[in-house]
Amino acid sequence: MLSLLSISLFAASALIIYRYVLYPSFVSPLSKIPAAHFTASWSPLWILWVRYTDVEVQTIHKAHVKHGPIVRLGPNEVSINCVDDGLRKVYAGGFEKTFFYDQFQNYGVPNMFSTKESKPHAARKRMISNVYSKSFIQSSQEAHEVTRSIVFDRMLPTLDTYAAKGSPLEVFELNDAVTMDFICCYVFGLSNDCNFILDVDMRKQFLSWYRKRSEHSFWNQEIPGVTRMLRNIGIHMVPKWVHAANRELEAWMLGLCSAAEHSLKAASEYSEKAHRTRPIVYGQLKDALRRSTTKTEAQEESQISGRLDILVASELLDHVTAGMDTSGITLTYLFWELSRQPDLQASLRRELLTLSPTLAFKNKSDLPLARSVDALPLLHAVVMETLRRHAAIPGSQPRATPSTPTSLAGSPPLPGGVRVSAQAYSLHRNEEAFPDPEAWLPQRWLDADQGKKDEMMRWFWAFGSGGRMCVGSNFAMQGTHFFSTTRCCLFKTRPVGNHEYAELKYVTAAIYTNFTTSIVDDTGIDQVDAYTAGPTSDQLTLRFARVQ
């Protein structure tokens, strides 16, 4: 006769098998969704291993190619690759962020990008969205002066020195410097920025801190509870030097905020020119947070941080690092693609020379109007195709299903709390929207009729979508324009935002107005398989030649 203990053990074992094997594999609504791996129905270990070994983006993409618009990645996780019954529901329909985004906090304090709930995120976004809007940037004297100073006083003289000597130049690091200078000048004012283009030693130190900070992200990103538990018993999965690098970055940001605060207090003593480059984003955010101290969202954050300056620093550290990282990657691949096609460079230069005034360095003229740069069709096509083919953030953007059961991509209604994500890498390779998706073809944006352009834009996800769309996309695009014009005739999804969009166009425009580029060494140019994806070698070496 079986003992009571044996019966209890059998019942417990049967319950465990049902709960963790039979139910997720055969009963759960997710069981009707094709699994990316035979263990995905009942174990998260496969997808955790995929992420730990840095093959997530390609693995998920292959699963979608094989199984369709929705695939199961784990017992409580799916990936989607469709628009109407996927993206629009998830990213504009009340699906909240997950603990994945806690890793983007600074000083232990939430910022807009790391905030998981939609309402506090929207409240923070309203505080600063106007200074990142396209209309504000195109009419802003601050943005105009920042662009003029970086292009004519820093970037072009640096490139001209290398061109005069015929020396090769590693541009991935330089692109980070250019994009960081753009965003820091706009946020903190010209008198308070980092000047990484000219201050090479500080640039290298900062990038060392930043890259250390980005390493070992898996542990806090995927299994933060286990990581904390191990740390409490003396096992550090994230090395101490990563935390040390974080502290250095945070101290650096507090220094910039302190300088910006001093500038605001001394504003009455500014000259007219200095006033035009006041710390516009810093001032807007600080004032908005101060005014909102009676609101619930601000009170909760104040209880966490205890100090308004930490709230501001957490937010702005995210702005500048995200703006640098994504725009720097985009510029690097844009230059690489153009350097492979001299004829396209020539066509772009002819278009850039129609601007009035042009961005010719020898003239050191004023800038053309931002809307004139924005209207150049080939420049726009080059930027858009680079953002599509070489998305700086190709990886998954996780959300959680709401408590009300919701169907996605034709699935049965999914219960609340299921992790669901899409990735730009796969969306940008939809063959119906983008024929020959692996090819870099700017012409596709020029030849398409309006219907085709609308279809491409439905699948285009470099800036995210919905209420969480990157707030800085317009600034980014202006900078890219600039970098290209002067060279040929430069934020929580966290894709590039409005400010980065402007930055990309201006930088591109500036460079290709004045120089041609050719490849010296593109070893390791393939993008890493990661959430943020730069070259595997972290470098691209080009040669610049003056345009006569």
Side-chain angles (χ1 to χ4, degrees):
M1 185 174 181
L2 292 176
S3 67
L4 181 61
L5 178 60
S6 298
I7 294 173
S8 298
L9 289 174
F10 176 80
S13 298
L15 183 62
I16 290 172
I17 291 173
Y18 175 80
R19 172 66 179 82
Y20 292 103
V21 179
L22 297 179
Y23 177 81
S25 298
F26 303 105
V27 182
S28 166
L30 278 71
S31 65
K32 309 300 188 295
I33 298 171
H37 188 264
F38 74 93
T39 65
S41 297
W42 51 272
S43 171
L45 293 179
W46 171 77
I47 190 60
L48 288 174
W49 178 253
V50 165
R51 289 172 177 142
Y52 179 74
T53 54
D54 295 327
V55 292
E56 178 184 6
V57 174
Q58 290 289 339
T59 300
I60 292 177
H61 181 64
K62 290 176 182 176
H64 279 298
V65 170
K66 180 178 180 180
H67 296 293
I70 184 168
V71 293
R72 191 178 189 181
L73 304 179
N76 202 45
E77 180 176 359
V78 299
S79 175
I80 57 170
N81 189 39
C82 56
V83 177
D84 292 331
D85 200 28
L87 282 187
R88 290 182 175 175
K89 277 189 178 180
V90 173
Y91 296 94
F95 287 56
E96 302 288 15
K97 286 185 172 182
T98 70
F99 64 81
F100 172 91
Y101 296 91
D102 289 342
Q103 65 180 309
F104 298 106
Q105 293 183 6
N106 301 305
Y107 311 93
V109 173
N111 49 61
M112 182 170 63
F113 183 67
S114 69
T115 299
K116 293 188 281 294
E117 297 80 15
S118 296
K119 288 185 177 179
H121 175 276
R124 178 64 62 83
K125 186 175 182 178
R126 284 193 297 271
M127 294 180 182
I128 55 173
S129 59
N130 69 305
V131 295
Y132 284 126
S133 69
K134 186 173 184 178
S135 60
F136 186 95
I137 291 168
Q138 290 192 345
S139 63
S140 168
Q141 187 60 46
E142 284 87 355
H144 184 88
E145 181 60 26
V146 162
T147 303
R148 190 211 62 76
S149 179
I150 291 176
V151 168
F152 285 117
D153 299 338
R154 302 183 191 182
M155 185 186 72
L156 290 180
T158 298
L159 297 178
D160 193 60
T161 298
Y162 279 87
K165 296 177 180 178
S167 303
L169 175 62
E170 199 288 296
V171 297
F172 183 49
E173 181 180 305
L174 179 65
N175 288 340
D176 281 344
V178 171
T179 55
M180 180 60 92
D181 282 5
F182 261 100
I183 185 61
C184 276
C185 284
Y186 190 64
V187 170
F188 299 109
L190 270 170
S191 60
N192 305 310
D193 83 303
C194 49
N195 199 359
F196 280 175
I197 296 175
L198 302 180
D199 191 346
V200 178
D201 291 340
M202 187 60 215
R203 176 213 306 173
K204 291 183 178 296
Q205 179 63 76
F206 174 88
L207 290 175
S208 175
W209 293 334
Y210 181 73
R211 287 168 182 163
K212 286 178 181 177
R213 184 192 199 204
S214 303
E215 296 173 4
H216 303 279
S217 61
F218 167 82
W219 301 100
N220 288 323
Q221 171 183 304
E222 298 298 332
I223 47 174
V226 173
T227 303
R228 283 193 298 270
M229 181 186 68
L230 292 174
R231 185 172 63 245
N232 290 337
I233 61 175
I235 302 174
H236 295 271
M237 304 310 296
V238 179
K240 293 181 179 180
W241 47 262
V242 174
H243 300 298
N246 268 329
R247 290 192 294 272
E248 294 285 1
L249 283 173
E250 291 174 347
W252 173 82
M253 175 51 57
L254 286 173
L256 288 179
C257 290
S258 177
E261 184 67 22
H262 178 75
S263 295
L264 287 175
K265 290 178 179 178
S268 61
E269 302 174 8
Y270 279 9
S271 67
E272 181 183 355
K273 182 175 180 180
H275 180 69
R276 292 205 308 268
T277 59
R278 67 188 188 277
I280 185 168
V281 178
Y282 173 85
Q284 170 91 4
L285 178 62
K286 187 74 175 282
D287 287 347
L289 282 171
R290 186 181 291 114
R291 289 194 304 269
S292 68
T293 53
T294 60
K295 296 181 180 180
T296 301
E297 184 255 350
Q299 287 177 338
E300 291 174 350
E301 290 184 327
S302 183
Q303 291 168 5
I304 295 172
S305 68
R307 293 195 303 165
L308 181 62
D309 57 345
I310 293 296
L311 287 176
V312 174
S314 177
E315 187 66 53
L316 297 182
L317 180 55
D318 185 69
H319 287 216
V320 300
T321 53
M324 174 201 72
D325 211 9
T326 53
S327 291
I329 290 169
T330 302
L331 287 171
T332 297
Y333 284 101
L334 189 154
F335 298 163
W336 179 64
E337 293 285 7
L338 284 175
S339 297
R340 300 166 71 195
Q341 300 189 42
D343 290 344
L344 184 58
Q345 288 187 47
S347 297
L348 179 58
R349 187 174 304 106
R350 285 192 294 271
E351 179 180 85
L352 297 172
L353 291 175
T354 65
L355 292 170
S356 180
T358 69
L359 290 163
F361 180 42
K362 63 182 179 180
N363 297 331
K364 293 194 175 181
S365 59
D366 197 6
L367 303 177
L369 294 176
R371 61 176 176 269
S372 299
V373 179
D374 195 46
L376 297 176
L378 180 55
L379 177 58
H380 184 72
V382 165
V383 171
M384 292 295 288
E385 185 65 356
T386 303
L387 290 167
R388 183 202 69 82
R389 176 60 180 81
H390 301 288
I393 298 185
S396 297
Q397 309 284 344
R399 298 291 189 270
T401 55
S403 56
T404 303
T406 306
S407 174
L408 294 172
S411 74
L414 303 179
V418 175
R419 175 169 166 168
V420 55
S421 59
Q423 59 177 28
Y425 184 93
S426 295
L427 292 163
H428 289 178
R429 282 159 178 77
N430 178 283
E431 293 189 0
E432 292 184 4
F434 307 106
D436 196 7
E438 293 299 330
W440 185 79
L441 300 172
Q443 197 66 32
R444 74 171 84 239
W445 299 92
L446 299 172
D447 293 343
D449 59 25
Q450 191 57 50
K452 182 61 177 177
K453 287 181 181 178
D454 291 344
E455 181 65 9
M456 289 194 292
M457 289 306 299
R458 273 172 23 92
W459 290 86
F460 183 79
W461 214 48
F463 303 122
S465 56
R468 302 277 187 148
M469 182 175 178
C470 182
V471 71
S473 59
N474 287 319
F475 190 81
M477 218 38 170
Q478 178 166 311
T480 310
H481 254 317
F482 212 105
F483 216 79
S484 241
T485 297
T486 308
R487 189 181 188 185
C488 194
C489 230
L490 347 241
F491 305 252
K492 119 9 117 229
T493 42
R494 204 195 218 176
V496 291
N498 292 342
H499 69 286
E500 297 162 274
Y501 196 59
E503 174 187 64
L504 292 171
K505 284 188 172 180
Y506 264 106
V507 169
T508 303
I511 290 184
Y512 284 97
T513 292
N514 294 279
F515 303 97
T516 62
T517 60
S518 57
I519 295 172
V520 175
D521 185 2
D522 63 353
T523 302
I525 193 61
D526 290 341
Q527 288 181 273
V528 298
D529 190 315
Y531 179 77
T532 305
T536 57
S537 61
D538 280 340
Q539 63 180 8
L540 170 65
T541 304
L542 302 179
R543 180 170 281 108
F544 291 77
R546 293 171 176 168
V547 172
Q548 300 302 321

